[in-house]
Amino acid sequence: MACTLEKFIHSLDPRALPRVLQIQSGIYFQGSIYEMFGNECCLSTGEVIKVTGFKINKLIASICENNEDSQFSAKVELPLNFPGLYKVVADKTPYISIEEITRKVAIGSTRFGHPCFYSSEDIKLANLTIKQGEQINFNSVEEVNGTMAVNCGVVRNNQSHSFTLPLSQEGTFYECEDDQIYTLKEIAEWKIPRCRNRIVKLSNTLHSWDSSNPLPDNFDGCLILTPVYEVQAVMKFRKDIVHILSDLDVEVKDITDCYDISSFLQPLSLEDVFERTTKEFPMVAEVMEGPLGRQKPYNLLHIGKEIVIYKKYQATRVLASEIRSDSPKRHFLIPMTYKGKFKRRPREFPTAYDLEIARSEREQLHVVATKAFDSPHAELFSVSVGDQFLVQQRQTSEVLYEGRKKVIDVLACEQILSDTYKEVLLPMYMEGGFVEVIHDKKQYQLSEICKEFRLPFNVKVSVRDLSIKEDVLAAVPGLQLEEEITDSYLLISSASSPVESWEIPVYRLNMSVHLLSKDVQAVLPPMTKTTVEEISEEEYYMVRRFENQTLHPPPRPPKKPAALAPKPVSTVSKQVISDVLQATKNFCVDTTKKSCANQAADVSELQVSCQNDLVHHDNVKDMTEKPTLVEAAVIKGLTNNPLGKWESEKEQEEEHNYEYVDENVIENIRKVFQDTTTRNKDILSEDRRDI
């Protein structure tokens, strides 16, 4: 029976792919198919195509000014990269069986593919009863004892209980409220059920939209999203993959059951190749759809190129972000085989709680205060700008609060004075500001940093990787190594000239191949080349969230009583600045003996001139070499007054300008929201800062 292409795709179960369709009627020319704006848009009557996949290409949004129950006022078209973070409104229409849920809702291996539902009635199982209204997590669909079932779980008293529900299980199931936030693309891929619309509410704006904003100004209502799909198909006598929009005015008929589907080429995505068994490797494949990019090996993977895929495996990468005060930051995935060397760069700590997280047994953390803090308790220390501390450990202390004694968490430190040390206690909630003082001159390999230090860690490339023609990291003034991640890769080389092999990411490369029945000439791959991969902001968030989905963030520092707000900090005198500089010059921390020693380093002359709101850092020296950088960083954080210029001798390596005290750290909305879902309303109303 013929139907429109749009109706067919909207009702198609992805598990039923591939399907063979015959064009019954529609827009067509003699030439069968032609291309417009990157999509195949015309089909001739009688044409036969094999549909191998489909994905949402764009969304039609109906605007509801107030809430999801109000009448929509207009319809607009939204691309998947339209900026913003959105909350998903729970679907009020019930599902009548587990089979209907699995057919219409995306269930996958990532946490996006773990939807939650509740039953309107109790469900009695062999050894467990699922209570009415209890949240059920749907984790995966698989065959259990010859019957298709869903692996589910419930959490009771912080303990997870696993069980399975057969697809034949009937009932009344409702979608649970979702307290997470998502990009529009994530919603399109995971959160729009088949044959249903999705209502979302704008939560936060990530960045400005370059084009004209189709949404009303200060929009605070809901959007009803209707997907428009891009259909991926293979033609009978073509090797490439064609793309057709589902809203094309074409009628189709499903003829899969009466057609030889093997007569078509079988395109495979990199994910499909990765799911092949280890015994099937190595294999020869021809590129049907190649990635875009000028960097090797992407520029070699053009359509028609024959490649050898040697093996699949998991590899470790270090996720790093550029240190800069303005937006956007660049993000990188650095392989552990990177041969460049790094020098340390000072870290910033906004609170005493961050000092506790950063301290380690390897060396004692030495910091300088960049903001003043007036303690509301006599038992605790009041911090002045320029005070220097050696961080000790977390402990508790008894303080007098509103006439009563109260035990609070504090951070024990040693204040560095001119000729001695003083034991002090800082409240853990202290919202001050600190910058790290570094005395380490060593150059580190990436593997050494990951082994000896706790990430995140600030560095700069001191010796570039000479095995790379163009080391992109060498030109970056500063990097924050954030965390180690594990990702999936395929090892490939050219089939015609296998001089070198390359690692290509499975889940971040849009590429399709079809396998060839050819023998591999060399089973062992040639020399492997690894590259530093620069990733987009969207990919950066995806990598971090997938990596941290099983980790729990540390608790937020306790709130400071509102009645005990600190006094405003006035500008800093030249005498205070001079004292700070003198203290920085004269003290070096011995992390083993904890003794003071004069640093035998020459310090460039500090020229202080008062100019309105201007801070110049010229030719700042490496902090690991001499303390002038600490002075510059501390002074920048001390006051809003201008401080003039820094001048220093020229280093042997290339110099850059650095600003290590960033007063406007770019907020990481997504991670704040993910890590503190139970406190999101409070956090999003505060001054949001990057965790």
Side-chain angles (χ1 to χ4, degrees):
M1 181 177 179
C3 65
T4 64
L5 178 63
E6 184 173 34
K7 183 178 180 181
F8 176 81
I9 294 299
H10 275 257
S11 61
L12 179 60
D13 187 347
R15 293 173 295 181
L17 292 174
R19 309 300 294 176
V20 178
L21 304 181
Q22 186 179 55
I23 308 302
Q24 299 297 298
S25 65
I27 307 171
Y28 63 93
F29 285 107
Q30 289 289 336
S32 177
I33 290 185
Y34 76 94
E35 188 172 332
M36 181 180 293
F37 306 120
N39 293 292
E40 312 293 343
C41 58
C42 286
L43 299 170
S44 61
T45 300
E47 189 76 53
V48 177
I49 63 174
K50 182 175 74 168
V51 176
T52 59
F54 57 93
K55 63 181 180 180
I56 296 178
N57 176 271
K58 58 185 177 181
L59 296 166
I60 304 299
S62 301
I63 300 175
C64 300
E65 294 289 353
N66 298 317
N67 54 59
E68 63 268 26
D69 296 322
S70 64
Q71 295 293 323
F72 62 86
S73 59
K75 288 187 177 183
V76 296
E77 181 179 301
L78 297 179
L80 298 188
N81 62 342
F82 187 76
L85 296 173
Y86 303 81
K87 287 200 67 175
V88 172
V89 178
D91 193 348
K92 297 179 181 179
T93 304
Y95 295 83
I96 61 173
S97 68
I98 299 297
E99 189 274 335
E100 184 186 7
I101 294 176
T102 61
R103 183 163 39 86
K104 294 184 177 181
V105 178
I107 301 176
S109 57
T110 73
R111 75 173 189 85
F112 293 116
H114 296 166
C116 299
F117 294 85
Y118 66 89
S119 173
S120 61
E121 299 178 353
D122 290 352
I123 301 177
K124 295 183 179 180
L125 304 175
N127 55 356
L128 186 68
T129 298
I130 309 304
K131 299 177 182 178
Q132 172 188 351
E134 188 171 19
Q135 179 172 303
I136 306 172
N137 300 315
F138 285 52
N139 299 320
S140 63
V141 180
E142 57 186 65
E143 186 174 338
V144 179
N145 298 326
T147 302
M148 295 302 296
V150 179
N151 289 320
C152 303
V154 295
V155 178
R156 295 175 180 173
N157 299 324
N158 295 324
Q159 289 188 342
S160 180
H161 302 270
S162 300
F163 58 94
T164 59
L165 290 176
L167 267 59
S168 59
Q169 178 77 43
E170 296 183 349
T172 305
F173 300 93
Y174 291 89
E175 187 178 39
C176 294
E177 291 289 343
D178 191 343
D179 58 0
Q180 297 294 306
I181 54 178
Y182 305 93
T183 65
L184 213 55
K185 184 177 181 181
E186 291 166 349
I187 292 174
E189 291 178 349
W190 294 98
K191 299 299 178 181
I192 297 185
R194 309 293 303 165
C195 304
R196 298 193 184 194
N197 297 329
R198 170 58 79 191
I199 301 175
V200 300
K201 186 174 179 63
L202 182 64
S203 178
N204 287 287
T205 301
L206 281 179
H207 51 81
S208 60
W209 183 238
D210 296 334
S211 305
S212 59
N213 191 343
L215 300 180
D217 294 337
N218 302 318
F219 177 68
D220 192 34
C222 292
L223 299 173
I224 302 178
L225 304 179
T226 302
V228 175
Y229 291 91
E230 179 184 279
V231 182
Q232 177 179 287
V234 178
M235 308 300 296
K236 179 73 173 178
F237 301 106
R238 294 178 59 168
K239 284 189 173 182
D240 57 331
I241 297 173
V242 297
H243 300 274
I244 309 166
L245 292 180
S246 63
D247 58 353
L248 189 65
D249 188 14
V250 171
E251 286 192 344
V252 298
K253 180 180 179 181
D254 190 342
I255 59 171
T256 307
D257 295 336
C258 58
Y259 201 89
D260 182 13
I261 200 169
S262 62
S263 61
F264 290 90
L265 291 177
Q266 177 61 43
L268 299 174
S269 66
L270 295 186
E271 293 93 327
D272 296 330
V273 175
F274 194 81
E275 291 176 0
R276 296 284 177 126
T277 63
T278 305
K279 295 180 180 179
E280 296 180 70
F281 294 90
M283 59 182 68
V284 181
E286 181 180 342
V287 177
M288 296 184 67
E289 194 171 46
L292 299 176
R294 298 180 179 179
Q295 184 184 8
K296 285 185 177 183
Y298 306 137
N299 59 352
L300 305 177
L301 302 176
H302 50 78
I303 296 177
K305 178 73 173 182
E306 291 188 8
I307 60 173
V308 178
I309 306 175
Y310 291 96
K311 60 179 179 178
K312 64 174 184 177
Y313 54 91
Q314 301 283 322
T316 301
R317 294 289 188 271
V318 175
L319 180 64
S321 294
E322 184 180 19
I323 300 175
R324 58 185 300 170
S325 57
D326 55 339
S327 180
K329 296 180 181 178
R330 298 168 68 189
H331 306 286
F332 306 92
L333 287 175
I334 310 174
M336 298 303 291
T337 54
Y338 178 77
K339 296 180 177 60
K341 291 187 177 181
F342 299 93
K343 281 186 178 181
R344 297 175 60 176
R345 283 290 181 265
R347 294 169 287 178
E348 301 170 51
F349 307 102
T351 69
Y353 179 76
D354 295 293
L355 295 178
E356 157 63 17
I357 295 176
R359 70 182 184 88
S360 68
E361 300 297 330
R362 183 183 182 277
E363 63 179 1
Q364 196 155 31
L365 184 59
H366 177 192
V367 296
V368 179
T370 59
K371 291 183 181 179
F373 172 77
D374 191 7
S375 173
H377 309 292
E379 300 87 350
L380 304 181
F381 188 69
S382 293
V383 176
S384 299
V385 172
D387 285 347
Q388 298 192 58
F389 301 98
L390 303 179
V391 179
Q392 300 293 336
Q393 60 186 0
R394 180 175 184 163
Q395 61 186 54
T396 58
S397 177
E398 196 175 66
V399 298
L400 192 63
Y401 178 69
E402 295 182 347
R404 296 183 179 181
K405 289 186 176 181
K406 184 178 180 180
V407 177
I408 66 171
D409 290 333
V410 296
L411 185 64
C413 299
E414 286 185 339
Q415 183 189 10
I416 303 177
L417 301 176
S418 58
D419 55 357
T420 185
Y421 294 95
K422 177 183 177 182
E423 298 286 342
V424 298
L425 298 177
L426 304 180
M428 198 66 71
Y429 61 74
M430 171 185 169
E431 295 183 1
F434 303 91
V435 64
E436 182 180 21
V437 181
I438 295 177
H439 310 281
D440 186 357
K441 300 180 181 181
K442 183 179 176 182
Q443 299 184 101
Y444 293 91
Q445 296 280 0
L446 184 61
S447 57
E448 292 178 308
I449 293 176
C450 295
K451 182 179 180 181
E452 298 181 18
F453 300 99
R454 179 183 297 179
L455 302 183
F457 199 72
N458 291 0
V459 297
K460 175 195 177 297
V461 174
S462 57
V463 178
R464 73 178 187 87
D465 188 346
L466 299 177
S467 66
I468 302 176
K469 183 177 181 181
E470 183 179 353
D471 188 350
V472 294
L473 299 182
V476 179
L479 285 169
Q480 182 177 73
L481 307 180
E482 299 187 15
E483 62 183 315
E484 292 185 58
I485 69 162
T486 302
D487 209 352
S488 302
Y489 290 87
L490 294 172
L491 186 64
I492 69 165
S493 74
S494 170
S496 58
S497 56
V499 178
E500 52 193 13
S501 58
W502 300 84
E503 294 178 323
I504 58 173
V506 173
Y507 298 106
R508 291 188 306 279
L509 200 61
N510 185 20
M511 177 177 166
S512 297
V513 301
H514 74 93
L515 302 183
L516 303 177
S517 55
K518 291 185 178 181
D519 294 331
V520 179
Q521 299 295 328
V523 177
L524 295 177
M527 178 183 62
T528 301
K529 303 280 286 186
T530 55
T531 60
V532 175
E533 183 184 355
E534 184 170 353
I535 59 176
S536 65
E537 184 178 12
E538 179 185 0
E539 290 172 328
Y540 165 79
Y541 285 127
M542 296 287 285
V543 167
R544 294 214 70 176
R545 295 207 302 179
F546 289 155
E547 186 69 17
N548 291 330
Q549 59 184 330
T550 59
L551 302 179
H552 299 284
R556 298 272 296 178
K559 297 290 182 184
K560 179 172 52 180
L564 301 175
K567 298 178 182 179
V569 181
S570 59
T571 58
V572 184
S573 66
K574 292 183 181 180
Q575 182 60 42
V576 173
I577 296 173
S578 178
D579 293 342
V580 174
L581 299 182
Q582 190 62 37
T584 308
K585 294 176 187 178
N586 292 340
F587 283 94
C588 175
V589 180
D590 184 336
T591 57
T592 57
K593 299 181 179 180
K594 293 171 57 177
S595 62
C596 294
N598 289 332
Q599 294 192 21
D602 296 330
V603 181
S604 300
E605 179 183 0
L606 169 64
Q607 300 176 344
V608 180
S609 61
C610 293
Q611 305 171 2
N612 290 331
D613 299 325
L614 292 177
V615 179
H616 297 288
H617 294 252
D618 292 344
N619 300 325
V620 178
K621 293 186 69 64
D622 186 347
M623 188 173 200
T624 61
E625 296 289 341
K626 297 181 182 180
T628 54
L629 182 54
V630 180
E631 300 165 8
V634 172
I635 291 177
K636 187 179 186 299
L638 298 185
T639 176
N640 291 327
N641 284 349
L643 297 177
K645 296 184 178 181
W646 284 96
E647 294 184 359
S648 63
E649 302 170 1
K650 186 175 181 180
E651 292 183 352
Q652 295 179 357
E653 61 182 345
E654 181 183 1
E655 294 182 337
H656 301 275
N657 290 334
Y658 304 102
E659 293 183 0
Y660 291 114
V661 180
D662 177 14
E663 298 172 347
N664 298 299
V665 179
I666 299 174
E667 64 180 1
N668 187 335
I669 301 175
R670 182 193 302 276
K671 185 159 178 58
V672 171
F673 197 98
Q674 177 189 353
D675 290 349
T676 57
T677 54
T678 58
R679 300 181 292 277
N680 59 343
K681 291 184 180 180
D682 181 46
I683 295 173
L684 290 174
S685 65
E686 295 178 347
D687 185 20
R688 297 165 296 182
R689 297 180 65 86
D690 193 10
I691 293 178

